[in-house]
Amino acid sequence: MHRKVFMIAAGVMLATPAFAQTAAPAPGASAAAGVAAGATVYDAQGDVVGTIASTDGTNAVVDTGTVKAALAVSSFGTGPKGPTLGLTKAQLEAAAQQQAGGSAEFKAKLVPGAAVYGSGGTELGKIKEADDQFVTLTTSSGDARLPISAFGPGPKGVTIGLTAEQLQAAISSAAPKK
């Protein structure tokens, strides 16, 4: 059986080298409202994550006071207080610091057969192949070729900042129209 591979632009980058996220928008939040320089960013529980230092409309730099992390604007949701992230301040700082410290240890986990989990903790598929720039993920819907920056460490292992539904939608939208 021949599977088609679709290129998907995945959502989030962290400051120094990029990191794909476990930073999905807070549950039930609509994306990107209120993402402007100077805005305070909150986590899903309403605690302060940091302040938006700058934005170019595509990415926003969140300053936690300890690190600055560039995140895709689409990674933000909207909560009662303002822009929200699916990460706590500590989680965002840990992810950014891990990336800043070099990710050779993490990249060593991007091997064929390794399970990849979504932001909700569900297994999304297995790594088919990886190089210095891209990882091909085999899913039940086909193969998806994602930038290596879309992958990061998570509680269960290799994680991307998408749910199964979001990944499916991205694969569907990347498919050539007939």
Side-chain angles (χ1 to χ4, degrees):
M1 177 170 113
H2 178 62
R3 293 184 152 205
K4 293 183 180 179
V5 178
F6 303 106
M7 176 67 119
I8 299 171
V12 181
M13 316 171 244
L14 290 183
T16 45
F19 164 85
Q21 308 281 317
T22 52
S30 61
V35 178
T40 300
V41 177
Y42 300 90
D43 65 19
Q45 290 71 42
D47 295 326
V48 173
V49 174
T51 304
I52 298 176
S54 64
T55 182
D56 63 6
T58 301
N59 298 304
V61 177
V62 177
D63 185 347
T64 68
T66 302
V67 300
K68 290 184 178 181
L71 304 165
V73 171
S74 62
S75 298
F76 293 84
T78 303
K81 297 180 180 181
T84 61
L85 286 175
L87 291 176
T88 65
K89 179 180 178 179
Q91 289 170 325
L92 181 61
E93 288 174 345
Q97 288 170 345
Q98 180 177 1
Q99 283 304 113
S103 58
E105 182 180 324
F106 172 72
K107 286 184 179 180
K109 295 178 181 180
L110 300 177
V111 295
V116 175
Y117 299 90
S119 59
T122 303
E123 185 176 328
L124 301 178
K126 305 261 187 216
I127 295 175
K128 181 176 183 177
E129 61 186 10
D131 60 32
D132 288 341
Q133 292 185 307
F134 297 99
V135 174
T136 301
L137 178 63
T138 297
T139 73
S140 60
S141 301
D143 289 352
R145 187 170 188 232
L146 298 121
I148 199 165
S149 62
F151 296 80
K156 292 184 174 182
V158 179
T159 303
I160 60 174
L162 299 172
T163 64
E165 295 78 21
Q166 290 168 327
L167 180 60
Q168 175 59 45
I171 289 172
S172 295
S173 68
K177 305 299 179 229
K178 293 181 181 183

